[in-house]
Amino acid sequence: MINNVISPEYNEEGRVMRRVRSFVRRQGRLTKRQEEALESEWAEMGIDFVNEPFDFAKLFNNSNPVTLEIGFGMGASLVTMAAQNPDKNFLGIEVHAPGVGACLASAKEENVTNLRVMCHDAIEVLDFMIPNGSLEMVQLFFPDPWHKAKHNKRRIVQVPFAEKIRSKLIDGGVFHMATDWEPYAEHMLEVMTSVAGYENVSTTGDYVPRPESRPETKFEKRGQRLGHGVWDLMFKRI
């Protein structure tokens, strides 16, 4: 049912370096709620990887704009966004099976119908399943910052990745990133500023205040209490 990449590392082209492990080998780490959701909700909301482009209108049974979130964690904010925006469609990709199970459980509890999820390498999904010019927004919230300088090249936000995201956005579509690690925010800003075909939404040329469209997570609120900052970046395809 699910093939997932665990704790992915990325090379300079944005491709996962650590490869696929099976859901079956990981299921001992699932809670009962997560396992039950994977079993009962996958057929309705889960998408298996295939080497074939999406027909989003067919997938969602409507022509509403599509937002893609890469690495949605436990899915709390993604489910909230989908519940608050029934006139939009959401596709989430997460490589950690317990997070996918938690997201499916929450979506079921909130009666969310405009959300689909995948448990696969996002780069392969982008390459083989996301048509060019099909997404209104791509969201990348709190990706692994790879703190050590020698590991910085493993960060997913690199020039080839940014160019790939741009190709998937509609004209005027937005790539929205957020991080609580300031050096990574600076890295993101440097990368995104260097890529042609993007315009920084920030009026100050750097970061934007957290938009209402991005719900605060429990992790984020806890960090704020400890004095940690959060940096949001939004770049529009032009």
Side-chain angles (χ1 to χ4, degrees), residues 102-135:
C103 182
L104 290 171
S106 297
K108 176 65 174 180
E109 291 162 2
E110 296 295 325
N111 295 314
V112 167
T113 60
N114 57 331
L115 172 63
R116 302 291 183 271
V117 300
M118 297 189 68
C119 193
H120 198 80
D121 172 10
I123 301 301
E124 290 190 349
V125 176
L126 286 165
D127 283 343
F128 298 107
M129 297 188 70
I130 306 296
N132 288 344
S134 64
L135 302 174

Side-chain angles (χ1 to χ4, degrees), residues 10-12 144-158 181 183-184 187 190-191:
Y10 301 90
N11 62 20
E12 294 182 2
D144 193 327
W146 292 103
H147 302 87
K148 294 182 180 180
K150 66 179 180 179
H151 292 155
N152 286 175
K153 65 184 179 181
R154 295 179 177 177
R155 293 169 172 170
I156 189 172
V157 179
Q158 307 288 351
W181 184 250
Y184 197 9
H187 169 85
E190 180 181 357
V191 168

Side-chain angles (χ1 to χ4, degrees), residues 25 39 73 100 105 109 122 128 133-134 173 176 178-179 195 224 235:
R25 290 173 60 189
E39 291 295 332
V100 176
E109 291 162 2
F128 298 107
S134 64
H176 181 190
T179 180
V195 178
Q224 289 177 341
F235 279 75

Side-chain angles (χ1 to χ4, degrees), residues 56-222:
F56 283 124
K58 183 177 180 180
L59 179 65
F60 290 100
N61 295 315
N62 61 59
S63 57
N64 292 340
V66 179
T67 292
L68 168 67
E69 181 164 343
I70 297 172
F72 56 75
M74 302 305 281
S77 63
L78 179 58
V79 170
T80 297
M81 284 184 283
Q84 292 178 348
N85 296 275
D87 57 338
K88 296 183 178 182
N89 297 320
F90 292 83
L91 173 65
I93 305 174
E94 172 56 52
V95 296
H96 192 46
V100 176
C103 182
L104 290 171
S106 297
K108 176 65 174 180
E109 291 162 2
E110 296 295 325
N111 295 314
V112 167
T113 60
N114 57 331
L115 172 63
R116 302 291 183 271
V117 300
M118 297 189 68
C119 193
H120 198 80
D121 172 10
I123 301 301
E124 290 190 349
V125 176
L126 286 165
D127 283 343
F128 298 107
M129 297 188 70
I130 306 296
N132 288 344
S134 64
L135 302 174
E136 181 184 57
M137 180 172 286
V138 175
Q139 300 174 164
L140 180 71
F141 299 153
F142 306 103
D144 193 327
W146 292 103
H147 302 87
K148 294 182 180 180
K150 66 179 180 179
H151 292 155
N152 286 175
K153 65 184 179 181
R154 295 179 177 177
R155 293 169 172 170
I156 189 172
V157 179
Q158 307 288 351
V159 169
F161 179 74
E163 292 174 338
K164 189 187 303 291
I165 295 298
R166 181 189 177 278
S167 72
K168 305 303 176 181
L169 290 168
I170 62 174
D171 289 338
V174 173
F175 183 17
H176 181 190
M177 295 151 278
T179 180
D180 61 345
W181 184 250
E182 188 171 13
Y184 197 9
E186 294 169 349
H187 169 85
M188 289 174 169
L189 183 60
E190 180 181 357
V191 168
M192 295 303 299
T193 302
S194 73
V195 178
Y198 278 112
E199 177 180 275
N200 194 342
V201 173
S202 169
T203 58
T204 55
D206 46 19
Y207 311 110
V208 299
R210 180 185 64 84
E212 292 185 0
S213 61
R214 182 176 72 77
E216 285 185 292
T217 65
K218 292 180 180 179
F219 170 81
E220 184 178 356
K221 291 177 181 177
R222 182 169 64 248

Side-chain angles (χ1 to χ4, degrees), residues 22-35:
S22 73
F23 162 63
V24 173
R25 290 173 60 189
R26 294 277 295 173
Q27 66 182 1
R29 300 189 184 187
L30 295 166
T31 67
K32 183 178 180 180
R33 174 175 178 264
Q34 293 162 0
E35 187 171 7

